[in-house]
Amino acid sequence: ADPAEQYAVMHGTRISLHIPMGFTLATDFAGLLREDMHAFVLASELAAPVQAVLGGMTKESWAAEGIELLRSDEVQVAGTTGTLFQTSEGEAGDKVRKWVLVFGNDESTAMLTAGVPAESEAAVGKILEQCLLNARWDLNLKLDPYMGVGFSLRESDIFEVRGRRDAGVLLARKEAPAEMSPDEPILVVYSDTRPAVLPLPAMAKESLGADGQFVDFANFSERALAVH
């Protein structure tokens, strides 16, 4: 096939992305990488209504995370209407430009995040944006929630998989509503292939806040678990 027409399903999602020239499939997350530019595209799906997700993505909520919202636009993607956010974060001389595309329906939300250091934006910024806008979303695709994460969990009488995180899964109570309150317990389970991942509290907080879904959370307690 013509490389310009190559699409690939992002593991653990129903999202397919066109693979731009110079990009490869990531091995540690559902997305694409261009290592020479430090550019990436991350794909994820959330088991939540798209309007509920968008409701929490205000200029104020971005700012609370140290992210400057540059603009947001209504766009057409995968046969539906989406919202494309353009942001900037980081200190002067170390800024990262990001594009976050959110679209979905009353049951699920697709979220695509692309990023690149500001100094490389001129080279690949438009390519990243177009990659997001060319995304496909196949709602009929049957998913294995553990595909590509390197582990699986026994079926629980209480919890069920509600979505994917970077190299992992998010679980909630089977009785929990789609739009969960802050009091609702959740589990986030993922693997990390890096030889050193300490300090664990910092790594956990970074993972939870990766796409802005969770804000204003704190670590009340922690303990070691034996995993068999």
Side-chain angles (χ1 to χ4, degrees):
D2 183 343
E5 297 300 320
Q6 287 186 359
Y7 273 76
V9 177
M10 301 297 103
H11 61 250
T13 79
R14 295 169 292 181
I15 301 167
S16 297
L17 293 178
H18 164 251
I19 305 176
M21 188 77 69
F23 282 76
T24 59
L25 287 170
T27 57
D28 293 334
F29 61 89
L32 308 173
L33 278 176
R34 180 166 175 175
E35 295 187 4
D36 62 328
M37 294 280 186
H38 302 288
F40 69 89
V41 180
L42 171 66
S44 62
E45 283 192 62
L46 310 174
V50 65
Q51 291 304 319
V53 174
L54 286 171
M57 302 180 78
T58 64
K59 187 172 184 177
E60 291 74 20
S61 64
W62 290 105
E65 295 297 308
I67 301 171
E68 179 186 3
L69 177 61
L70 302 176
R71 62 181 292 171
S72 61
D73 299 284
E74 188 175 283
V75 297
Q76 293 301 305
V77 55
T80 189
T81 300
T83 302
L84 179 64
F85 299 91
Q86 298 190 38
T87 70
S88 176
E89 60 185 271
E91 301 297 329
D94 192 30
K95 286 190 175 294
V96 176
R97 282 281 281 110
K98 286 186 179 179
W99 296 258
V100 181
L101 178 57
V102 180
F103 58 97
N105 54 36
D106 291 338
E107 297 180 351
S108 303
T109 297
M111 183 178 295
L112 301 174
T113 303
V116 68
E119 60 267 22
S120 298
E121 179 188 354
V124 295
K126 289 296 183 183
I127 294 173
L128 290 171
E129 182 176 337
Q130 200 59 47
C131 179
L132 301 193
L133 295 175
N134 287 336
R136 298 171 180 173
W137 196 32
D138 184 359
L139 296 176
N140 295 316
L141 185 64
K142 298 295 184 181
L143 290 179
D144 174 3
Y146 300 105
M147 184 175 67
V149 300
F151 66 87
S152 62
L153 302 174
R154 288 195 299 269
E155 186 173 349
S156 168
D157 294 331
I158 301 173
F159 286 91
E160 64 181 0
V161 176
R162 287 289 187 94
R164 287 284 293 244
R165 303 294 296 172
D166 295 355
V169 293
L170 182 148
L171 301 95
R173 291 188 313 117
K174 293 181 177 181
E175 296 81 8
E179 188 173 351
M180 292 182 285
S181 70
D183 296 329
E184 189 66 46
I186 61 168
L187 294 174
V188 180
V189 184
Y190 61 93
S191 62
D192 197 306
T193 59
R194 292 174 295 179
V197 295
L198 296 175
L200 288 174
M203 182 189 69
K205 185 173 182 179
E206 178 183 352
S207 177
L208 280 173
D211 58 17
Q213 185 185 6
F214 299 105
V215 296
D216 298 330
F217 52 84
N219 183 27
F220 292 104
S221 66
E222 62 182 84
R223 60 189 175 92
L225 293 174
V227 179
H228 302 285

